[in-house]
């Protein structure tokens, strides 16, 4: 249902000026509603249906910024639509009306930490190479990668004609068939972890993202999510230092 509110109140909500100052703009004939100058102080508008402008520029209410951390389950795609009709991550977020999009990508068969937001600038900052936001993964890989293999991945290897940036690799445990490796990288090339391990002959069997910077996935259940606090958001930009070259 739409609601009518006083024009000066709407202008203040949109960050144009205080209500009192907005009244002076109305009186000066600088505000138009649906293209017509409105000078009547008692005017009310329906923000959902009417267009308001100030000195000819559209006035819009800022959408509240929303930041969510989701534990993405396998089987979901991180695009906003899928021609193949596969399940989409945003359908897991039930009680939030903001139009959210995922920050970066996770493969359909990868699970773990995925941030969703409606804040485009923030999403761009996380992904911009200059911020070097670290992403931590845990990968189950086939076989037993040697120390030399892992050191090569740490220093950087040639992948599709371009060296990968320095990374951190820690072998957590091994069985006769597979090994569990903790990986910290700050690049986000498509299928990067899988390609790195493919390149050393130890393909990834299972992949999970555990953290963005120092923001950990923690105990969120699969498919579960929570809102991020300003403190959480700061943690994203606090990077985990990579291991020193040995
Ligand atoms: N690297 C991959 O290979 N896949 C992902 O989903 C994320 C990082």
């Amino acid at each position: 249902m739409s609601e009518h509110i006083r024009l000066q109140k709407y202008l203040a909500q949109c960050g144009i000026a205080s209500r009192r100052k907005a009244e002076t703009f109305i009186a000066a004939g600088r505000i138009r509603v649906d293209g017509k100058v409105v000078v009547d102080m008692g005017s009310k508008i329906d923000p959902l249906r009417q267009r308001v402008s100030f000195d000819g520029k559209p006035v819009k209410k800022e959408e509240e910024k929303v930041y969510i951390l989701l534990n993405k389950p396998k089987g979901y795609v991180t695009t906003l639509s899928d021609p193949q009709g596969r399940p989409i991550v945003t359908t897991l977020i039930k009680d939030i009306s903001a139009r959210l999009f995922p920050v970066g990508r996770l493969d359909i068969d990868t699970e773990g930490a995925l941030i969703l937001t409606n804040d485009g600038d923030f999403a761009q900052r996380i992904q911009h190479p200059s911020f070097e936001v670290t992403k931590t993964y845990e990968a189950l890989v086939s076989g037993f990668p040697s120390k030399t293999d892992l050191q090569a991945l740490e220093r950087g290897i040639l992948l599709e004609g371009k060296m990968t940036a320095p990374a951190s690799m820690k072998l957590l445990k091994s069985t006769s068939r597979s090994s569990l490796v903790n990986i910290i990288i700050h690049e986000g090339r498509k299928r990067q972890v899988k390609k790195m391990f493919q390149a050393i002959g130890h393909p990834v069997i299972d992949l999970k993202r555990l953290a963005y910077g120092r923001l950990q996935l923690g105990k969120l259940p699969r498919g579960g999510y929570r809102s991020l606090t300003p403190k959480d958001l700061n943690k994203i930009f606090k990077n985990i230092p990579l291991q020193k070259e040995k």
Side-chain angles (χ1 to χ4, degrees), residues 134-185:
T134 54
K135 267 95 48 178
T136 307
Y137 296 89
E138 205 167 84
L140 185 69
V141 304
S142 84
F144 180 75
S146 68
K147 209 168 167 185
T148 319
D149 285 336
L150 295 180
Q151 282 174 351
L153 293 182
E154 287 191 332
R155 283 192 209 105
I157 57 162
L158 198 60
L159 211 61
E160 291 157 351
K162 195 174 164 241
M163 291 301 283
T164 58
S168 183
M169 302 281 156
K170 200 161 144 199
L171 187 66
L172 300 173
K173 61 180 176 189
S174 281
T175 65
S176 55
R177 289 164 185 221
S178 61
S179 306
L180 196 61
V181 187
N182 181 280
I183 299 148
I184 306 174
I185 58 174

Side-chain angles (χ1 to χ4, degrees), residues 68-238:
I68 299 287
L69 178 65
L70 167 74
N71 184 353
K72 174 195 169 303
K74 289 180 186 176
Y76 283 79
V77 293
T78 54
T79 47
L80 291 179
S81 66
D82 186 57
Q84 295 173 55
R86 295 170 298 182
I88 291 165
V89 277
T90 47
T91 60
L92 292 164
I93 315 294
K94 301 286 184 208
D95 47 0
I96 293 167
S97 60
R99 272 193 281 158
L100 302 178
F101 55 86
V103 176
R105 57 189 310 286
L106 276 183
D107 298 331
I108 188 162
D109 58 352
T110 301
E111 60 179 319
L114 182 71
I115 293 175
L116 296 125
T117 184
N118 56 353
D119 184 344
D121 293 337
F122 169 81
Q124 214 179 336
R125 266 198 297 143
I126 293 187
Q127 295 179 87
H128 197 278
S130 66
F131 286 95
E132 298 193 349
V133 170
T134 54
K135 267 95 48 178
T136 307
Y137 296 89
E138 205 167 84
L140 185 69
V141 304
S142 84
F144 180 75
S146 68
K147 209 168 167 185
T148 319
D149 285 336
L150 295 180
Q151 282 174 351
L153 293 182
E154 287 191 332
R155 283 192 209 105
I157 57 162
L158 198 60
L159 211 61
E160 291 157 351
K162 195 174 164 241
M163 291 301 283
T164 58
S168 183
M169 302 281 156
K170 200 161 144 199
L171 187 66
L172 300 173
K173 61 180 176 189
S174 281
T175 65
S176 55
R177 289 164 185 221
S178 61
S179 306
L180 196 61
V181 187
N182 181 280
I183 299 148
I184 306 174
I185 58 174
H186 62 71
E187 287 178 301
R189 298 199 225 168
K190 204 169 174 188
R191 298 167 62 80
Q192 176 150 356
V193 174
K194 289 178 187 162
K195 283 180 188 162
M196 287 169 87
F197 280 85
Q198 186 74 46
I200 58 159
H202 296 281
V204 168
I205 301 165
D206 231 345
L207 185 61
K208 183 172 186 172
R209 181 153 64 202
L210 300 181
Y212 285 84
R214 290 187 185 273
L215 177 71
Q216 300 278 344
L217 180 60
K219 290 198 164 61
L220 270 181
R222 277 199 191 102
Y225 55 90
R226 68 178 179 89
S227 290
L228 296 175
T229 62
K231 204 168 151 197
D232 288 324
L233 298 178
N234 280 330
K235 283 187 190 167
I236 295 170
F237 295 96
K238 295 219 165 68

